[in-house]
Amino acid sequence: MKKLLPVALGFLLAFSLSASLAFSAEEQHWGYSGAYSPENWHKADPSFAMCKEGKNQAPINIEPRYDVALPALELRYGRKGETVLNNGHTIQVPFSNGNSLTVAGGAVYSLQQVHFHTPSENTLAGRSFLLEAHFVHQDENGNMLVLAVFYKDGEKNPGLEPLWAAMPQAAGRTAKLTEKFDPMSILPASLDYIYFNGSLTTPPCWEGVRWCALKTPLTVSQDQAQALRNAMKGPNNRPVQPVNARPVLN
Ligand SMILES: [Zn+2]
């Protein structure tokens, strides 16, 4: 009996461990800590190979290398967000068509969703920020453009409040917003930006994503950043990736 007990316990442990792994593989699959943290995303699924093999991955440490006359960005965000989702990796507000970003003389992109990372994923000349928002857009050919906005440690950001008040604590939950979310309310007045080619910063890490990082940061309070960290059960930023041969345009 004394010899059997450890075996039985071992079996039970192995069983519950594999059950929880199966659950996490299905529900979570990858994360920012644990077995499938960013350096191991490619091991979580064969379709995540680009997370390791890509040469144009995001985020990066943004150090502009070329001064060029970048085309101006024009935003027409008329539609407000009505729900907020906790997908286990971020807090996200979906948008139906109606909010557009135009690169002067170029493509028109439609805002798909806005989500958040704490601390920031990209860094600006080595500087990390408390929060970064990603405004994810797509044009009619499926090309993606992410508008990135930084928030430094400071005053509470009032534009975030409708989301933060309703933010679900459990992964997989969506909440209806009591007060609608205006995406313009968390953007700086100046849309001056730095441009680089990159990828999704989450699996499957697909490349060919156009990145416009706004130069002017807004503020966020420590309490607001902490509230997002609590809902995410920790930080939700992928570390910066090698720039390699990419030009970073200013
Ligand atoms: Zn993101």
Side-chain angles (χ1 to χ4, degrees):
M1 190 63 197
K2 270 184 182 166
K3 277 186 182 167
L4 276 175
L5 195 57
V7 175
L9 271 177
F11 175 78
L12 276 175
L13 274 173
F15 178 78
S16 62
L17 191 64
S18 66
S20 73
L21 275 178
F23 174 80
S24 66
E26 201 174 296
E27 296 293 315
Q28 208 63 22
H29 213 52
W30 57 271
Y32 294 97
S33 60
Y36 294 130
S37 56
E39 59 278 15
N40 290 317
W41 282 350
H42 62 287
K43 295 177 187 165
D45 192 292
S47 69
F48 299 168
M50 196 57 88
C51 302
K52 183 177 172 64
E53 288 161 17
K55 294 283 181 273
N56 299 288
Q57 290 287 294
I60 60 167
N61 176 38
I62 300 169
E63 304 252 21
R65 291 180 191 173
Y66 299 97
D67 282 332
V68 296
L70 287 169
L73 303 179
E74 293 158 20
L75 298 182
R76 284 189 196 86
Y77 287 172
R79 228 177 243 181
K80 295 181 179 177
E82 298 183 6
T83 61
V84 58
L85 160 73
N86 177 340
N87 67 12
H89 307 300
T90 191
I91 293 292
Q92 186 167 306
V93 182
F95 286 90
S96 46
N97 285 347
N99 293 335
S100 70
L101 179 157
T102 307
V103 180
V108 180
Y109 296 84
S110 174
L111 180 65
Q112 311 285 302
Q113 43 106 338
V114 177
H115 67 262
F116 301 88
H117 300 272
T118 182
S120 69
E121 296 207 295
N122 293 292
T123 56
L124 205 47
R127 180 183 178 191
S128 168
F129 294 84
L130 210 44
L131 184 76
E132 182 173 347
H134 289 160
F135 292 67
V136 181
H137 302 76
Q138 209 164 38
D139 73 6
E140 60 180 6
N141 298 316
N143 295 308
M144 293 185 72
L145 182 152
V146 179
L147 184 68
V149 185
F150 297 113
Y151 305 85
K152 61 186 179 186
D153 183 3
E155 295 289 311
K156 180 197 258 193
N157 190 308
L160 296 173
E161 283 300 286
L163 303 182
W164 261 234
M167 183 192 292
Q169 294 300 307
R173 292 278 172 82
T174 294
K176 196 165 169 27
L177 300 179
T178 316
E179 186 191 337
K180 288 183 184 178
F181 166 64
D182 179 0
M184 290 302 288
S185 71
I186 60 163
L187 284 165
S190 166
L191 296 179
D192 278 357
Y193 66 100
I194 299 161
Y195 180 88
F196 60 96
N197 287 313
S199 69
L200 302 177
T201 67
T202 55
C205 307
W206 287 335
E207 298 192 335
V209 178
R210 294 151 192 199
W211 282 83
C212 297
L214 297 190
K215 293 177 184 176
T216 311
L218 293 175
T219 65
V220 65
S221 70
Q222 285 282 354
D223 284 352
Q224 285 179 314
Q226 185 61 47
L228 177 59
R229 253 191 321 273
N230 290 346
M232 294 294 107
K233 323 291 183 229
N236 68 335
N237 66 309
R238 185 189 196 192
V240 293
Q241 305 295 306
V243 173
N244 297 321
R246 282 176 280 181
V248 177
L249 310 177
N250 192 15

